[in-house]
Amino acid sequence: MSIMEGTGVSISFGGLKAVSDVKFNVEEGEILGLIGPNGAGKSTFFNLLSGALTMDSGTVYFCGKKISGLKPNQICHLGLGRTFQAAKNFPGMVVYQNVMMGALFGKKGRSAAEAAKITDEVLDFVGLTELKDKNVTDIPLSAQKQLEVARALATRPKLLLLDEVMAGLNPTEVEDAMKLITRIRDSGITVIMIEHVMRAIMTICDRIIVLHHGAKIAEGTPDEISTSRTVIEIYLGES
Amino acid sequence: MSKTNDRGGARIKQQIIPIVIVAVLFGLSFLTRTGSALRPSYYVVLFVSILNYIVLAVSWNIFSGPSGYISLSTAAFFGLGIYVSALLGEKLPVPLLMIVAGVISFAIAAIIGVITLRLRGVYFTIFTFGLVLLLQYFILWYEVKFNNLRGRTVMAVPYNTVFICLLILAGIVLIAAYYVKRSRFGMALTGIGECEDAAAHIGVNTTMVKVIAFAATSFAIGASGAAKATTMIYIDPPIAFNVMMSFMPVLMVIFGGAGSFLGPIIGAIVFTLLQEQLTTKWPKWYMIIFGVVMIISIVFLPKGLVGSFGEMVGKRKKLLLIAATAVFMVVGFIFTKLLAAAGTNIGGLVFPLLFGIIGFVIFANVLKRGKEAA
Ligand SMILES: Nc1ncnc2c1ncn2[C@@H]1O[C@H](COP(=O)(O)OP(=O)(O)OP(=O)(O)O)[C@@H](O)[C@H]1O
Ligand SMILES: [Mg+2]
């Protein structure tokens, strides 16, 4: 069953078609990879799904509801969580409070006690409990990436958009991030992840979509994508 | 264990501060007995100014402090309040004037907010400042063209009445400030200030939070203008929409300390005392002294009085800082007496305050450096 479907999703910046006529669907419970060269429009695509940007044309349905045109907070309340490529956090708050913000505002009518319980669970789940009283500026990059994920998880999403949570991590940390994403999926949350770390994408994704110059140029299982001529040409052509 | 104790303690403290606020304001209300309706005491007159500025500074800080949306519209809503009293002062009692002014300010702020709070950073600030000038010139044009007059007289109300009305308004604003800071709404405002995108994507309705906070605090500012107007006798658009009323609350908050509850209150009290005495006795020096104090405080006390005080590590340093400030203030008193003996009479508190500020600045920086060296 699809949890999200979209057709004709497009946006231009001036003359640049950043995302152009993308048709896609996301199956409930899968990890969907989103790859493509730098500037392909991947982050812009996430911004359209999460409501940060308004699409020029196209429609997106999430759990049967039309979300194109809604504001980020409304889309969040319907169950979509996201992280940002360049980590965005609340620098005046400690790690715990950052996650607490997600828990407090992620659903309407959630009590403070409930939010505190969710915060503890999520911190434990991503492995940040030991750093919970630290300033966000004092924690290492890998922890900042985990914090991005934790804050999104604290809203209790059905679908989670991860934008390059492995960028800048060392191989051990990438390994941990892969395990974390798999555990997120196993806990019942559907995941779309943007990633340049091919090993991670090929290992944990059920399906992959390839964007190039804003357009979807390929879609398939990791095996299909890694043997696709067009994809190889684009990646080899770029490097 | 300790965690639950902390929470219990916090809960008790949560009730204590509002009770203290009410008790202090109730105590102040007895000041009306020091004068009569026709001859108000000096303290009542002074406190009308102090309370007015407390309302403006604390209201400004409820919205702009955490959200980072620096509003310069205070003079606009204050001026609207003044005009409500000028137009309706003969028909309505002060509390009703305040409510009418508050409602009008709320409505206009809500409309302005919906339009402009999408603007980020300096654009919002400039727009709010433009609003002051727009209202000033529009009303001037309207009055001259349609009513053939430039200014208006405002129905005078006994100071004691205005004082009590502002006392109640200040009480409401202070208690609101206290609870908002600790509420979910306050956390949303802080989240908006620290990272608006992150806040929006975890479910904060950023537009609504901003508009409500901006409009509600504008209500208080308009109400304060309506009350203060009844002591002003004559007003015209440049007086009512005096741009200084937009800057003063911001400066008071910066001086006192934006992050704290007491900061804006202390800033409002100190600046009002300086202003009241300097404008009557040293009008030419007023803005210069004021500017110097601001520059010193921004350079040497970037977190404001209360913020710098909070940076002192340990009770000993805190006490030392208070003692040093007190000594400097006493020296200021003696200096005032000496000047008076020499024939120059400068109002009671100007030098104690200025000396106190100098003492605080010096010791706060020395004591802080001591910490870094250790
Ligand atoms: N708000 C914006 N205004 C104008 N142009 C934009 C905006 N956001 C993105 N772009 C442009 O759209 C194109 C796609 O950008 P996007 O960030 O989506 O790429 P990406 O696939 O995420 O790349 P990367 O892998 O480097 O993160 C780029 O050319 C970018 O410069
Ligand atoms: Mg990107």
Side-chain angles (χ1 to χ4, degrees), chain A residues 90-91, chain B residues 65-69 187-196 199:
Chain A
F90 306 114
Chain B
S67 75
Y69 279 79
M187 292 187 68
L189 278 172
T190 308
I192 289 169
E194 296 199 359
C195 186
E196 188 160 353

Side-chain angles (χ1 to χ4, degrees), chain B residues 229-251:
Chain B
T230 59
T231 68
M232 292 168 89
I233 304 165
Y234 171 85
I235 58 118
D236 61 19
I239 294 174
F241 296 92
N242 178 0
V243 293
M244 278 309 289
M245 293 310 274
S246 284
F247 291 112
M248 287 300 282
V250 186
L251 299 177

Side-chain angles (χ1 to χ4, degrees), chain B residues 16-17 25 34 57 73 80 95 101 117 121 123 125 163 170 185 208 221-222 225 244 248 256 296 311 329 350 353 365:
Chain B
I16 283 179
I17 292 197
L25 295 179
T34 59
S73 63
L80 280 175
L117 282 167
Y123 300 104
T125 306
F163 170 69
F185 188 79
M208 181 135 93
I221 292 167
M244 278 309 289
M248 287 300 282
I296 289 178
E311 279 184 338
M329 289 183 78
V350 172
L353 285 173
N365 281 281

